[in-house]
Amino acid sequence: MNGPVHIVLDDTAMTAAATGNPLAARLIHRAHTETGWHLYAPACALVEADRARPGTAGRITDLPGVTVLSLDLSAVLAVAQQATWAQAHVRHSAQPTPERPDGAVIATTDPDRWAGERVHVLRLV
């Protein structure tokens, strides 16, 4: 790939990473060892991943190369308008920003949950 790579992990990707999914492991390795690779863990999705598999949040936050995204004001406003906080925070985090002008790709093991959304998806299955 040319240029920086920005990938947002949804809760299913975080759970997969915590259980040794080989594709998630490759993403984590690249984010840790290669310049220009960035992985993001939105806080709301991190909570959902830990609810699904206790201990996931600790494993994800201990990984080098993973940046936890907190709820800033724009994220709070986006989350407040959606039914699921985790999905809303992931979607918001994947939107273009000055640091990520092309936005980010959402890594997931459940690509169907993103059907109809205007996001790019990386399937981890």
Side-chain angles (χ1 to χ4, degrees):
M1 296 185 142
N2 294 332
V5 177
H6 298 278
I7 300 173
V8 177
L9 302 171
D10 76 359
D11 54 304
T12 68
M14 291 182 210
T15 303
T19 58
N21 176 290
L23 296 175
R26 284 186 207 156
L27 290 177
I28 292 162
H29 177 74
R30 284 190 151 184
H32 177 61
T33 61
E34 294 184 30
T35 301
W37 279 74
H38 308 278
L39 285 183
Y40 304 98
C44 292
L46 194 58
V47 169
E48 284 305 311
D50 203 69
R51 285 181 180 164
R53 184 170 178 85
T56 297
R59 289 180 184 201
I60 296 298
T61 57
D62 284 345
L63 292 170
V66 176
T67 301
V68 176
L69 301 176
S70 62
L71 284 170
D72 59 12
L73 178 58
S74 63
V76 168
L77 296 174
V79 166
Q81 298 174 17
Q82 302 297 320
T84 64
W85 287 27
Q87 197 166 343
H89 197 190
V90 169
R91 183 185 319 106
H92 173 76
S93 300
Q95 299 304 307
T97 66
E99 298 82 27
R100 299 182 300 274
D102 295 325
V105 175
I106 297 173
T108 185
T109 63
D110 184 9
D112 291 340
R113 77 166 35 173
W114 300 103
E117 298 285 343
R118 296 181 67 184
V119 295
H120 298 287
V121 173
L122 174 63
R123 186 177 176 176
L124 297 181
V125 287

